[in-house]
Amino acid sequence: MPKDLLYECFSGMAGDMHLGGMLDLGVPHAHLLAELSKLGLDDEYQVEVEQRKKMGIAGTHVSVNLTHTKDQARGLGEIKNLIDASELDQGAKERATSMFELLANAEAQVHAISVEKVHFHEVGAVDAIVDIVGAAICLEYLAPSRVYCSNVELGSGMVKCAHGLMPVPAPATALLLEGYPTTRGNVDGEATTPTGATILAHAVDHWVSPNVFKASRTAYGVGTKDFRRPNVVRMSIGEVQAGIETESNICIECNIDDMTPEAYEPLSERLFSLGAKDVFYTPIVMKKSRPGTKLSVLTMHDLKDEIIQCILQNSTTIGVREWAVGKSMLPRKLETIVTSLGAVRVKIVTLPDGSRRWKAEHDDVSEIAKQRNLSYLVARAEIDRAIDSQIGDIDGH
C-alpha cells in the first residue's frame, strides 16, 4: 500500500519545525541522533527534543544548540565533502546534497555570483547542517511514495538577513518557492525560512492538497514564533485515495487584434517563467469583424499582480479581465525512467477507477532524438517500448 506524506504549512515551515514534525510522526529520536553523529560534529551541537504547545496545539519541538560560539560558517564544497565522507546511507547523502545545492544555487542567483563563490553563514552554520541533514535522514526513514503540500504561508513584515533588513520572504525563500503555491500576510513575521523552503522544494512531488486523503497518523512540529495562528506545521502519513484533486486558480484574459504574431512566443515564455500554470491563445472575431486573439492565462492567486503587469508590459492590450476558477485534476506524479536511449521523464496519472496511464515528456524524447540523430517517431516508439516494459502494471498509455 502506498505511503503518502502530506505537509500543511498554514503557519509556515522552518528547519526546526520540520524535525519536530518528523519525530512527532514516528521517526525515532535515537535513530535521528545516531545518524547525525555520522557527520562527526557531535562536539559542536546538542539536540533537545520536548513536547510543547502553541495556542493549545500539542506537538514536538526540536532545538539545535551550539556548544560554542565561534564562527561555524562553511562553504558548499566543504559541506558536500563532509556529507560524502560520512557513513550516512547513500539515500540520505543524496537528499542532503541535493538540498544544499538547491539552497546554494538560490543564494548564488540572489547575489549574482557563481555557486563556487557562495559562502554564507545561513547554510554553513552547524544548526542549518543539522536541520537539512536531519530532514534527509527522516525522509529516508519514512520513505514516502509521494509527498503533497498545500499552500505555504510565507508571513509578512521584515526579516533580518546577513545583508540587512529585507521584506518577508527572504530573497532565497522567495526564489526557492517560485512557481509553487504560497500565501502571504496571514501572520506577522517570517513564517517560512530559507531552510524550510529548501526542504519543501526538495521533498514535495505534488503542490496540491489531495481531495481525498486517508490519514493513518497526524503529527505537529512546533516552532518558536508567536503568531495569531499556531506556529506549527502539520504532517500526515496516509494514502491519497484515487479520485479527483481540486485547485483554485485565477484566469486572466484579454483580447488582442494589433500585435505581430512573433510577439506571442516571448510573451508566453515570460508568463511561464513567472509561474503561470497555463498560457493559451484562441482565435476570435472582434467588433467590426476584425480577426483577433484571446490570450488566457491560468495562475495561482498570489501571482496575479505579476502576471497582469507582465501582460500589460509585453503585449499591446490596454486592459485585462480576471476571475477565480476551480480546477479538477487527476492525481499525477512525475518519474524518471532510464531507457536504452537515455533518461526520460514520465507523467503518470491515476483515473477515478484506480487504473493508471502514462505519457513520456515530449521535450525529453525530442532532445534524445536530436542527440542520437534519430527521427522523432523512431525514438518515441523505442522509448515507449522501454517504459512499457518497466511499468508493467499501468493500464494504457
Side-chain angles (χ1 to χ4, degrees), residues 68-265:
H68 44 68
T69 58
K70 71 176 184 179
D71 188 356
Q72 291 297 312
R74 291 176 169 90
L76 177 63
E78 187 177 355
I79 293 172
K80 291 172 69 173
N81 290 336
L82 180 70
I83 294 170
D84 288 340
S86 74
E87 296 182 357
L88 286 166
D89 292 341
Q90 187 60 32
K93 285 184 178 181
E94 291 175 359
R95 282 186 179 273
T97 299
S98 174
M99 282 188 264
F100 277 114
E101 288 176 343
L102 276 173
L103 187 49
N105 275 293
E107 289 289 350
Q109 189 170 337
V110 165
H111 301 297
I113 59 175
S114 67
V115 175
E116 291 74 22
K117 293 183 179 179
V118 172
H119 191 88
F120 40 91
H121 297 261
E122 288 84 348
V123 168
V126 171
D127 51 351
I129 293 174
V130 172
D131 284 344
I132 290 178
V133 176
I137 292 166
C138 292
L139 286 165
E140 277 297 297
Y141 180 88
L142 290 176
S145 303
R146 295 166 295 193
V147 181
Y148 294 79
C149 186
S150 56
N151 296 349
V152 181
E153 173 62 30
L154 301 183
S156 63
M158 306 293 286
V159 59
K160 186 177 182 181
C161 301
H163 304 281
L165 286 175
M166 294 288 295
V168 171
T173 300
L175 193 57
L176 284 159
L177 295 181
E178 266 190 4
Y180 301 137
T182 61
T183 57
R184 308 184 187 206
N186 290 304
V187 300
D188 298 323
E190 183 184 33
T192 297
T193 65
T195 301
T198 298
I199 295 168
L200 292 174
H202 163 80
V204 176
D205 303 309
H206 306 284
W207 291 87
V208 63
S209 183
N211 190 42
V212 182
F213 185 83
K214 184 179 180 181
S216 58
R217 182 162 185 169
T218 301
Y220 293 89
V222 180
T224 59
K225 307 287 182 65
D226 292 314
F227 296 144
R228 57 174 177 262
R229 58 173 65 175
N231 183 214
V232 300
V233 59
R234 181 160 61 199
M235 303 180 190
S236 303
I237 281 288
E239 183 183 5
V240 174
Q241 303 290 295
I244 304 297
E245 296 175 353
T246 60
E247 183 176 278
S248 177
N249 285 174
I250 291 287
C251 182
I252 302 169
E253 290 187 346
C254 63
N255 298 342
I256 302 172
D257 66 355
D258 57 351
M259 190 166 86
T260 177
E262 289 88 348
Y264 286 114
E265 183 175 357

Side-chain angles (χ1 to χ4, degrees), residues 230-339:
N231 183 214
V232 300
V233 59
R234 181 160 61 199
M235 303 180 190
S236 303
I237 281 288
E239 183 183 5
V240 174
Q241 303 290 295
I244 304 297
E245 296 175 353
T246 60
E247 183 176 278
S248 177
N249 285 174
I250 291 287
C251 182
I252 302 169
E253 290 187 346
C254 63
N255 298 342
I256 302 172
D257 66 355
D258 57 351
M259 190 166 86
T260 177
E262 289 88 348
Y264 286 114
E265 183 175 357
L267 173 59
S268 296
E269 291 174 350
R270 286 177 179 268
L271 291 167
F272 279 123
S273 69
L274 286 174
K277 293 280 188 178
D278 201 2
V279 179
F280 53 97
Y281 303 91
T282 307
I284 58 174
V285 177
M286 300 175 62
K287 61 184 179 181
K288 300 181 180 178
S289 297
R290 293 198 304 267
T293 300
K294 180 173 70 175
L295 165 66
S296 302
V297 182
L298 287 178
T299 183
M300 300 301 295
H301 291 252
D302 60 304
L303 295 177
K304 182 192 74 173
D305 292 343
E306 292 178 76
I307 294 294
I308 291 175
Q309 290 175 19
C310 180
I311 293 172
L312 295 176
Q313 182 72 33
N314 296 280
S315 75
T316 58
T317 190
I318 59 174
V320 302
R321 51 192 178 272
E322 62 185 80
W323 60 87
V325 296
K327 289 172 60 180
S328 297
M329 304 167 291
L330 292 172
R332 61 211 178 278
K333 62 180 179 179
L334 195 65
E335 292 188 356
T336 298
I337 303 294
V338 178
T339 75

